[in-house]
Amino acid sequence: MKIKFNRIAFLAAALLLIAAAAFNRDGKLLGVAPGDQKGGGTRTEWTAEDGSRVISTEGLAKDILGFGGGIPLHIYMKEGRVVRVEAQDNYETPPFFAQVESSILSAWNGLTAEEALNKEVAAVSGATISSNAVIGTFRRGMEYARGTAAEAPREGSRPGAGALAALAVALCGLFLPLFIRSPKYRSLQLLANTAVLGFWSGTFISLSLLTGFAANGVRSWNAAPALALLFAAFIMPLFGKKGHYCSWICPLGSLQELLGRIPVPKAKLPADTIKWLGRLREAVWMAMMLLMWLGVGFELMDYELFSAFLFRRAAWPVLALAGVFFALSLVTPRPYCRFLCPTGTLIKFAQGDASVCAASAPRALKLTMSAIFFVSSIMTLFRMP
């Protein structure tokens, strides 16, 4: 019973840490922000200096969310036709969202509201959630321009082929290893994780995903695969299945393990080196959390290596760092997972499995973590209404 209580306590602490970071970044939790009930303060329509009619979707599409939250648009119209569409400040991953902006925002130029609503615009591969949010938000603006009320979010509510494939792979990784012990099956699961969850759909747990869910909640069927991954990472350990997500589902860990099977000479690291590199990983995670609690450094979340799977839109530093760790994977097992991954550290902490949680951890380190929990709790509670 004591072990179960400890696991619940560490899971609750991890959730609190993410909640504090999400509230500092977005000013809301699960889609609820102080002052939401007051309304006002947001203009829906005005006239620009060049005479264009400007429609802001900020108040029209609060329920349509991308990967990191809402994506407000300013839609400029002249003589009843769309002149241009501009995305406003948002928390989508910059390299991916830049592709969405260049591919989608100009698709409706020159169209009337009716024509724009009837036009089918394809989502950008690898950025489906952001794309569907932009499309759905734009439609909400056009329904306003046409004078009809939008009752519910339509775009992004139906899962696409990538999301369905990702959900199938995630469910296989979630349940089949409990019954199948074959090494051949493990190889197939690792390949599916890499190909489907990684390169095809870009489905993985990251600090960015966790912060977005904490701030905005989950309102789309496209999030179903991610929910399955979250269940594996945070709920299964409560029933004795520690490390299930990292071992069986994580696409980045899967790719590193597959690379490690290539027959090249392996390097054997000293035990002390492995120990201190593990501490370095925890220090990186703690530093990121502290920065986010201070309201800065949120862009660091975009530089986790998971985005390297969508290599056409990943930032070059991510691709370079990924190349380094993939090369290291050839000679030592899962180096990113063991020596750097902040998300993996959070998952281990939630399981009570990180060294900062262990009975052997230095007293000063435990006191530091306790102080961090206290400060984050106060920051969150005192900023809530």
Side-chain angles (χ1 to χ4, degrees), residues 21 38 56 81 158-159 170 224 230 233 249 274 360:
K38 298 178 182 178
S56 171
R81 294 184 179 274
R158 293 171 296 178
L230 292 175
I249 305 178
I274 294 175
S360 59

Side-chain angles (χ1 to χ4, degrees), residues 130-317:
S130 297
S131 300
N132 286 337
V134 168
I135 295 169
T137 298
F138 176 82
R139 288 182 60 88
R140 195 64 63 82
M142 287 298 92
E143 289 171 336
Y144 172 86
R146 192 178 61 175
T148 57
E151 297 177 355
R154 289 184 253 181
E155 299 294 336
S157 59
R158 293 171 296 178
L164 291 174
L167 179 60
V169 171
L171 292 176
C172 287
L174 189 61
F175 295 112
L176 292 185
L178 303 179
F179 307 100
I180 302 176
R181 304 295 181 181
S182 168
K184 291 183 179 179
Y185 165 70
R186 179 171 178 82
S187 297
L188 289 175
Q189 183 67 48
L190 295 177
L191 287 169
N193 295 340
T194 303
V196 178
L197 298 182
F199 289 109
W200 184 9
S201 66
T203 302
F204 36 73
I205 297 177
S206 65
L207 293 181
S208 181
L209 174 94
L210 293 170
T211 305
F213 278 3
N216 303 293
V218 180
R219 306 183 186 184
S220 169
W221 282 107
N222 283 297
L227 292 178
L229 304 190
L230 292 175
F231 183 89
F234 295 104
I235 303 303
M236 290 188 71
L238 296 177
F239 302 95
K241 297 299 180 180
K242 288 186 176 183
H244 189 86
Y245 169 77
C246 294
S247 176
W248 280 98
I249 305 178
C250 175
L252 189 56
S254 297
L255 178 55
Q256 290 175 86
E257 182 170 334
L258 291 172
L259 290 173
R261 296 183 180 185
I262 297 176
V264 298
K266 308 300 180 183
K268 184 174 179 59
L269 298 177
D272 287 343
T273 300
I274 294 175
K275 175 183 176 181
W276 286 109
L277 286 174
R279 292 287 176 84
L280 173 64
R281 180 194 65 200
E282 295 179 355
V284 169
W285 170 67
M286 291 171 63
M288 289 181 67
M289 291 289 101
L290 283 171
L291 287 173
M292 288 188 284
W293 292 330
L294 294 172
V296 297
F298 294 110
E299 65 276 5
L300 293 174
M301 292 188 292
D302 298 325
Y303 289 90
E304 290 189 90
L305 293 196
F306 303 106
S307 58
F309 281 110
L310 307 174
F311 53 88
R312 293 181 180 178
R313 286 174 288 280
W316 71 263

Side-chain angles (χ1 to χ4, degrees), residues 325-343:
F325 276 98
F326 291 154
L328 291 174
S329 298
L330 297 172
V331 296
T332 190
R334 297 192 177 214
Y336 181 75
C337 301
R338 295 193 296 158
F339 307 140
L340 186 59
C341 183
T343 298

Side-chain angles (χ1 to χ4, degrees), residues 3-35:
I3 295 177
K4 184 176 181 181
F5 173 78
N6 286 345
R7 290 175 183 171
I8 294 174
F10 280 114
L11 175 59
L15 295 177
L16 176 61
L17 304 184
I18 290 296
F23 194 78
N24 278 344
R25 190 190 76 172
D26 291 3
K28 57 184 176 179
L29 290 176
L30 300 178
V32 178

Side-chain angles (χ1 to χ4, degrees), residues 363-379:
R363 179 178 176 81
L365 191 56
K366 289 183 178 180
L367 290 175
T368 300
M369 291 302 297
S370 299
I372 289 173
F373 299 153
F374 178 77
V375 171
S376 66
S377 302
I378 295 300
M379 289 174 62

